[in-house]
Amino acid sequence: MATNSGKGGFWSRKMVMGTSVGAALVFMVIGVIFWGGFNTALEVTNTMEFCISCHEMEENVFQEYKGTVHYTNRSGVQATCPDCHVPRPWVHKVVRKIKASNELLHKVLGTIDTPEKFEQNRLKLAKNVWTAMKTTDSRECRNCHNFAGMNPANQKRRAAKRHLFAMQEGLTCIDCHKGIAHKDVRDQLTDAEVELFEAPVPAYVRKVPEEWLAFMNGDGNSDQAGAKPMKVAQAAVAAAPAASSGGSDSSGVNWGAVEPREVVLFYPGQTGMEWILNGSQHGGARPFIKAGDRCFDCHEGEQEMMGGKMVGGEKAEDTPIPGKRPGIPMQVQAAHNGEYLYMRFQWPATDHVPVPFVEGGKMDPDNPTKFALMLSSDEVEFADRSGCWQTCHQDARGMTDAPDAAAIAGGKSDLLGDVSKGITKYLQESRTEIEIRGREGKPRGGWDKLKSADEIKAEFDAGKFMDLLRFSAGTNKVEDGYILANRVMEGGQGAEFSASQEGGNWVVVMKRKLKSDQPGDVSIEAGNYYNIGFAVHDDFTDGRFHHVSLGYKLALDADDAEINVFRQ
């Protein structure tokens, strides 16, 4: 009689660890169903609709996000919540989802269930995101953006410079782009926190693409020491006055043959050198200090926009003047004959805007406009980057940390000059110490930290001063001095000025010798580049309520100078 051999069919055949084919298939089907269900559920939580399904997100960060370029833009490419906040690699994504379970706890606890509670926790929440993105070299940003794919020719001057600096120093996207999609709370960080969150990471240093180096060098933005500044395209300003049509004036210069340079002066508010050097207030502080970036490198073409923020009190201005213009477009022409420097300045006059906190509405009723320029060599620290801004400090009169009359009287020194109206401009070379960040509540600046008279004289003899020329159009007063320990308004070789109004524009012409042996004067010689900056007190203004320029490079007969002094 035949017996069963004990061998089953195909589905009963044993496989690894004694599992039959049938059982393996069942487990496989269950696994696929589970895996598909898990991933489907995971992706459901990876949508903007899911993210804003709770009112905490929908009523707060989502409303802010809708006003940004990541929500709507000309290309129609939208970056949603998970694009920025959820990693794409599966392992990292699961880890992020596990960490997100903590948010469910706070949902139950009602930690941020009102706008008031959300604002109280906003900085903490932002720090968590910044830390995560810093740790991953802004991985989610780089899913869409990367340095190698950027075309610097299509970027603003400041953006291109900052991206080059980031590649060279080891910075990452989040170092500069906090608040890109939500309310920016970077200004609530302490200086120590700014240093921590935005410190370079050596592992993030990248090789700079050749096309970047070629573009930056060709545009005169070379990071190589000693590179001469290149002339750039003129800033486009709709209200700029027309260039001179030709002919000579009392100076004898044929201005029609002198190529003009457009320079936009802007309202600076209460932004002294300490503000520029403080990373928590000025995002460009690090490249300014570490990479030697000039204000011109980053902000040429943005002057009126910057002035608008300050003139309206949005930024760095405690006492805004409603209606004051944010910027002044100016035509600058320069010529020489081997002995004298001639400069012609032309800018549109403005209707009177009364100052609300001054009786009569005019700070200086005798002078409808005043014009000033400062000139220096590179001996003055930071003058090569900031021009005459180096003379402006947070403890000067009208600024945020200005000392009161009692403090000035207690620390008065003959080296301070006339302080009856407050502290005037000075250079840090004349001080033993300058407080930059206002640590522990200290006032910024160093008005009372004077070096000795002998030390200041040594700095002066070394050429560490700013040559200052000022002309008051109403009183026809000419002042020729310099700035080091304070503002000295006399003592130079003297200069000649004239002013007139032509076709709704102010026209100011200056004449001064190229070379001088008088103390406080900067002699101008062929082959050298000089730092120059301009200021206009328009509409009867006085003190710090002027418009100022960025720092420019001036040279004789040099096509690559930003202000070329043409020989006639």
Side-chain angles (χ1 to χ4, degrees), residues 199-431:
V201 178
Y204 298 166
V205 172
R206 294 166 170 83
K207 181 180 179 181
V208 179
E210 290 298 325
E211 56 269 25
W212 270 79
L213 293 175
F215 173 80
M216 301 306 284
N217 290 341
D219 192 38
N221 291 326
S222 172
D223 60 323
Q224 298 174 6
K228 290 182 178 180
M230 297 294 288
K231 192 171 185 179
V232 299
Q234 305 293 350
V237 181
S244 174
S245 59
S248 301
D249 54 22
S250 59
S251 68
V253 176
N254 179 9
W255 294 112
V258 178
E259 181 183 352
R261 164 85 199 201
E262 286 185 5
V263 171
V264 179
L265 280 62
F266 64 101
Y267 184 69
Q270 294 166 293
T271 56
M273 272 306 292
E274 293 78 22
W275 189 94
I276 289 176
L277 296 172
N278 189 347
S280 63
Q281 294 180 305
H282 176 218
R286 187 184 295 276
F288 179 90
I289 298 169
K290 301 292 186 182
D293 279 11
R294 300 167 58 207
C295 301
F296 175 88
D297 290 337
C298 292
H299 296 299
E300 176 74 348
E302 298 182 340
Q303 293 96 317
E304 193 147 2
M305 177 271 291
M306 295 189 298
K309 289 184 176 181
M310 289 177 274
V311 79
E314 177 185 345
K315 189 173 186 178
E317 178 52 80
D318 292 340
T319 52
I321 300 174
K324 187 177 181 71
R325 55 179 170 176
I328 300 177
M330 176 185 286
Q331 292 276 2
V332 179
Q333 295 169 281
H336 76 97
N337 61 6
E339 182 180 2
Y340 285 96
L341 166 69
Y342 300 91
M343 298 192 76
R344 185 175 188 266
F345 308 92
Q346 185 178 186
W347 68 92
T350 183
D351 294 332
H352 176 52
V353 175
V355 178
F357 47 84
V358 173
E359 185 177 354
K362 297 179 179 179
M363 297 180 182
D364 184 0
D366 293 331
N367 290 295
T369 193
K370 296 192 290 283
F371 172 81
L373 68 81
M374 287 193 219
L375 192 68
S376 80
S377 67
D378 287 351
E379 297 299 325
V380 177
E381 186 174 12
F382 296 139
D384 62 328
R385 297 165 229 183
S386 62
C388 58
W389 219 291
Q390 175 63 302
T391 67
C392 183
H393 296 275
Q394 297 299 140
D395 52 5
R397 63 184 184 185
M399 298 291 276
T400 53
D401 294 77
D404 58 27
I408 294 174
K412 188 174 181 181
S413 164
D414 291 340
L415 297 174
L416 287 174
D418 181 10
V419 291
S420 59
K421 295 182 180 180
I423 302 302
T424 63
K425 297 179 182 294
Y426 61 86
L427 292 180
Q428 67 180 37
E429 280 86 349
S430 65
R431 265 54 178 181

Side-chain angles (χ1 to χ4, degrees), residues 157-179:
R157 189 179 183 90
R158 173 171 52 164
K161 287 289 293 184
R162 293 297 294 276
H163 288 143
L164 178 66
F165 181 72
M167 286 186 272
Q168 295 170 325
E169 295 294 312
L171 298 177
T172 188
C173 310
I174 197 61
D175 291 332
C176 298
H177 293 288
K178 298 176 181 66

